[in-house]
Amino acid sequence: MTPSLRRKLEALAERREELERLLADPGVIGDNERFRKCSREFAQLEPVALALAAETQAKADLAAAEAMRADPELRELAEEEIASAQERLQRLDVELMAHLIPKDPRDDGDLYLEVRAGTGGDEAAIFAGDLFRMYSRYAERQGWKVEVESANPGEHGGYKEVIARVEGRGAYSRLKFESGTHRVQRVPETESQGRIHTSAATVAIIAVEPEGEPIEINPADLKIDTFRSSGAGGQHVNKTESAIRITHVPSGVVVENQTERSQHANRDKALKRLQAMLADAAAAKAAAAQAQDRRLQVGSGDRSQRIRTYNFPQGRITDHRVEGLTLYDLPNVIAGDLDGLIGRLLHEHQADELARLSANT
């Protein structure tokens, strides 16, 4: 680790000690908002302190083992202890470097999941339904809540479009690399001659803006329309125009919501999603300007990028952004077991950020 990176770690450790003192200050304790912010920052820096403490212990163990090496009777044991301490120090060096990667403030928050059928007709809609079910099952495994806000079913199953809000700690951090075009290769149920068809669906992962930090929207820029809801809801959907469609005129972004019984509730949900979409577009523009060579575009608006292929005849799933990222576990992945895939993407992202961090010091 370079001296400049070491100084950054030391500064984080000093900041943690400062926060520890602040959290014991009656003036801070009496200020709920400040106490909450300090507590959150303290918790975020705790892993850094633990890693530094572990590094200090590993260095002490290494020094003790090297001292033992002078004793012929303890030399073999000393060599084992030295190798173990050196291995721990190498792991801790990587871990400490990872703590220096700037944290995305959206990582711990919720998200909007948008899945739309692409090329492929009815099969594309069915595949969009498969993808939405895959993410829903993964969310269930994580203990997250999934609430559908808008859905347009396909004629033969699946969805032409489905939009849901996913709520749960760390949801965005786990799913933020899923945006893009997903391609499927399989024999549709309607195919009588057993030919493999290729269809596609697009996925968009949009971070929900943190509480108290919404993007400002000029009401004069909004065009708001009402219409009758469709789908479940009994006679209510046929009698009132409770569904809302909001168009942000400057950007052309359109959002709809029809899941609630009242126009006011639908308008509120639609506005929140509009805020998230505009913030996502701004973040994508900033990210593209800063790093045009990123393989894993976080919050990117480039939904046309083909990121993954699901080949059912071979039971294979390939992520095209990472060399060698092919899993022959498609049935389990499509059933919601995404940990192996997501873990590899997070590892690649961390490696890219560490390389960039080292190059800039």
Side-chain angles (χ1 to χ4, degrees):
M1 185 182 300
T2 64
S4 60
L5 291 178
R6 175 62 61 178
R7 285 194 294 272
K8 289 181 180 180
L9 280 172
E10 291 170 352
L12 291 177
E14 290 171 2
R15 174 58 179 167
R16 179 187 172 277
E17 292 177 0
E18 179 186 3
L19 288 166
E20 192 171 22
R21 291 192 295 271
L22 286 172
L23 289 171
D25 186 328
V28 175
I29 295 173
D31 185 337
N32 289 337
E33 180 64 20
R34 190 180 179 195
F35 184 80
R36 184 176 62 82
K37 288 182 178 180
C38 287
S39 297
R40 183 186 299 127
E41 187 180 356
F42 182 83
Q44 291 173 348
L45 292 177
E46 185 69 9
V48 180
L50 293 174
L52 285 171
E55 183 189 50
T56 299
Q57 183 61 53
K59 287 179 177 179
D61 292 343
L62 177 61
E66 288 176 338
M68 281 196 306
R69 192 159 49 179
D71 188 332
E73 295 182 2
L74 299 176
R75 184 171 299 155
E76 185 175 346
L77 176 61
E79 294 295 345
E80 293 178 1
E81 291 291 331
I82 288 171
S84 175
Q86 288 175 337
E87 183 181 345
R88 272 187 292 153
L89 284 170
Q90 288 177 353
R91 290 200 308 268
L92 286 165
D93 192 66
V94 173
E95 181 181 341
L96 287 167
M97 287 273 286
H99 287 306
L100 292 174
I101 297 174
K103 183 176 174 59
D104 188 335
R106 303 172 296 176
D107 274 355
D108 289 336
D110 307 331
L111 60 93
Y112 290 106
L113 166 65
E114 301 182 354
V115 185
R116 294 180 175 86
T119 56
D122 292 336
E123 173 63 10
I126 293 171
F127 179 50
D130 292 340
L131 288 177
F132 181 70
R133 187 162 50 252
M134 176 182 76
Y135 292 124
S136 296
R137 288 176 175 172
Y138 180 70
E140 183 180 347
R141 291 176 182 221
Q142 303 299 315
W144 302 337
K145 176 184 175 184
V146 179
E147 181 181 1
V148 175
E149 295 203 346
S150 176
N152 183 6
E155 294 180 7
H156 297 280
Y159 296 99
K160 294 179 182 177
E161 175 186 271
V162 58
I163 299 170
R165 177 165 173 149
V166 181
E167 298 179 353
R169 184 170 180 81
Y172 183 73
S173 69
R174 301 292 295 175
L175 294 178
K176 62 185 178 181
F177 300 120
E178 294 301 301
S179 291
T181 296
H182 296 239
R183 185 178 67 169
V184 63
Q185 296 172 327
R186 63 183 175 188
V187 180
E189 293 181 6
T190 55
E191 172 56 59
S192 59
Q193 298 183 24
R195 291 175 297 187
I196 295 174
H197 287 223
T198 298
S199 305
T202 60
V203 174
I205 302 294
I206 300 170
V208 174
E209 284 296 279
E211 265 321 297
E213 301 178 22
I215 189 169
E216 293 295 328
I217 298 177
N218 186 348
D221 291 337
L222 302 180
K223 180 177 180 291
I224 302 177
D225 300 305
T226 60
F227 59 98
R228 290 185 180 181
S229 300
S230 59
Q235 294 181 353
H236 170 78
V237 298
N238 298 318
K239 291 183 177 181
T240 62
E241 292 195 344
S242 59
I244 290 289
R245 180 184 298 110
I246 301 178
T247 303
H248 184 249
V249 177
S251 65
V253 173
V254 179
V255 294
E256 294 181 358
N257 202 86
Q258 56 179 308
T259 58
E260 302 300 321
R261 294 177 63 86
S262 78
Q263 190 178 110
H264 177 78
N266 281 323
R267 184 178 185 277
D268 183 57
K269 282 193 170 183
L271 273 174
K272 286 181 178 177
R273 194 159 83 248
L274 176 61
Q275 288 175 328
M277 292 176 71
L278 293 176
D280 179 72
K285 185 177 180 181
Q290 293 174 3
Q292 296 182 0
D293 61 337
R294 296 173 74 186
R295 291 175 298 160
L296 305 177
Q297 291 290 337
V298 184
S300 168
D302 186 9
R303 313 301 184 208
S304 63
Q305 180 193 14
R306 188 190 72 184
I307 65 168
R308 195 173 296 152
T309 295
Y310 304 73
N311 186 298
F312 277 76
Q314 298 178 14
R316 169 175 56 82
I317 181 168
T318 300
D319 196 292
H320 304 289
R321 297 165 295 179
V322 179
E323 185 178 356
L325 182 43
T326 295
L327 303 177
Y328 288 88
D329 192 29
L330 182 52
N332 287 323
V333 171
I334 209 73
D337 186 5
L338 293 170
D339 282 331
L341 194 59
I342 289 174
R344 179 68 184 276
L345 291 170
L346 289 172
H347 177 77
E348 291 293 327
H349 171 66
Q350 186 181 78
D352 285 349
E353 292 299 311
L354 284 175
R356 188 172 293 110
L357 188 64
S358 298
N360 291 336
T361 58

